[in-house]
Amino acid sequence: MAISTALTERLGIEHPVLCAPMARVSGGKLAAAVSQAGGLGLIGGGYCDQEWIDTELSAAGNARIGIGFITWRLEQFPDVLDRALEREPAAVMLSFGDEGPFAGKIKTAGATLIAQVQSLEQAKRAAGAGADIVIAQGGEAGGHGANRGTFSLVAEVVDALPRIPVVAAGGIADGRGLAAALMLGASGVLLGTRFVATEESLAPLAAKQAVAAESGDVTVKGSTFDKARGFSWPAPYALRTFRNSFAERWEGKDLTETAIVEFEEAAAIANMDIAPVVAGEASGIIRDIPSAADLVPRIVAEAEQKLRGATAFCSTP
């Protein structure tokens, strides 16, 4: 069982499946499990909390993994990249900002540069900066994203960058999504929400259970939770989460000090009616909380089955 693509060849991996570097969710244990299962796991460098990053890089042990950063945040804490590169990650993924200022350092260190983009214009910029792999992220994705739909964005980026492996992200959680991405010309998939609901994920159990139970209909985009955490995200990026009472009460309003305290207390005890379940529309096709080690080959096996079955739609003249 194997699906070989430009992505698997470029990264030296068995399966064209990447784990999204989700802040405070994709830790060393999850990244290692995905890599050991034949994909590539990426630790979530997120908001550049150096102590957390060091802990999770160590938790990955000797597994061959990568790390991802929020680019505009990395601009504020560039030394964090130097520390990460000292650990010799297989890849560094940059999202939500200009890759140019960091590309040379990453590639000189011998790491593969992965750039996540949300538009054709950004994809061309990333290619010009020297990105080895480009991830086309559709707006269906959980966490931060923009507005383009996955299908059309992936196809457009594939056409524009014929020499660079393109990875599909947003609304993908199983082998059907991997098969569809390959048919669009992508070389693989980056999964976030699907890996939230795994045993190795650092997400609270309540969040994992919600992802495995809810429909994609319950997701909404907004800025309330970013405000509550004190982050000023640039346009056009908004945060997709599950709808809850806190978001309904405060979206579009200025948070009071009392509201921020309420949020912080809820986050500390994983009260997901106030703290966010960060997840995308793919939650509607997730119904279990498996080990990531079992999930990766399961997704690939389903994709293989779907691809082989696609011949049933073709009639012989």
Side-chain angles (χ1 to χ4, degrees):
M1 180 185 66
I3 298 175
S4 297
T5 70
L7 177 71
T8 59
E9 292 176 7
R10 181 65 184 79
L11 290 174
I13 57 179
E14 182 180 1
H15 302 310
V17 177
L18 310 183
C19 173
M22 299 170 284
R24 297 285 172 176
V25 172
S26 299
K29 190 175 180 181
L30 175 57
V34 173
S35 290
Q36 289 164 350
L40 181 69
L42 296 158
I43 286 176
Y47 296 98
C48 299
D49 180 337
Q50 184 62 65
E51 183 178 352
W52 189 88
I53 292 170
D54 286 342
T55 297
E56 297 307 325
L57 284 170
S58 296
N62 294 323
R64 182 173 178 269
I65 61 167
I67 186 169
F69 293 102
I70 296 168
T71 313
W72 63 262
R73 184 72 170 180
L74 189 59
E75 291 171 356
Q76 301 170 14
F77 301 94
D79 291 348
V80 174
L81 176 60
D82 296 326
R83 286 279 295 276
L85 290 175
E86 289 173 2
R87 305 292 286 269
E88 300 182 347
V92 175
M93 175 174 156
L94 301 178
S95 309
F96 313 113
D98 184 3
E99 308 83 7
F102 307 104
K105 182 176 291 186
I106 291 169
K107 293 168 75 70
T108 298
T112 298
L113 172 58
I114 303 175
Q116 180 170 260
V117 303
Q118 292 76 33
S119 70
L120 178 61
E121 180 182 2
Q122 292 176 3
K124 291 178 178 178
R125 180 197 68 203
D132 299 300
I133 295 165
V134 170
I135 297 172
Q137 182 203 38
E140 300 95 320
H144 289 91
N147 301 314
R148 287 292 304 273
T150 300
F151 262 46
S152 63
L153 178 61
V154 169
E156 193 171 356
V157 173
V158 165
D159 289 347
L161 307 180
R163 295 179 179 83
I164 298 177
V166 175
V167 175
I172 303 169
D174 57 18
R176 294 174 295 179
L178 172 55
L182 295 174
M183 290 299 95
L184 290 170
S187 293
V189 293
L190 176 93
L191 307 181
T193 302
R194 174 61 273 194
F195 282 119
V196 170
T198 58
E199 293 175 1
E200 297 87 350
S201 160
L202 293 177
L205 178 59
K208 298 182 187 184
Q209 292 172 334
V211 168
E214 294 287 0
S215 162
D217 289 347
V218 306
T219 70
V220 293
K221 279 191 170 185
S223 60
T224 298
F225 296 113
D226 285 332
K227 292 177 181 177
R229 296 181 297 178
F231 297 128
S232 298
W233 269 77
Y237 308 116
L239 180 68
R240 187 180 291 281
T241 67
F242 284 177
R243 183 187 305 112
N244 69 9
S245 67
F246 190 82
E248 290 176 347
R249 281 186 284 138
W250 291 104
E251 186 60 37
K253 302 176 183 177
D254 292 330
L255 295 176
T256 65
E257 290 187 14
T258 300
I260 293 173
V261 170
E262 178 188 23
F263 172 83
E264 292 173 345
E265 291 177 347
I269 61 172
N271 175 359
M272 311 317 290
D273 190 46
I274 297 174
V277 174
V278 180
E281 294 180 1
S283 59
I285 53 175
I286 295 170
R287 289 295 171 262
D288 61 353
I289 307 174
S291 165
D294 296 329
L295 179 62
V296 173
R298 185 175 96 187
I299 288 172
V300 175
E302 183 182 2
E304 265 203 337
Q305 181 184 38
K306 294 299 182 184
L307 291 168
R308 286 173 176 160
T311 59
F313 295 100
C314 302
S315 58
T316 303

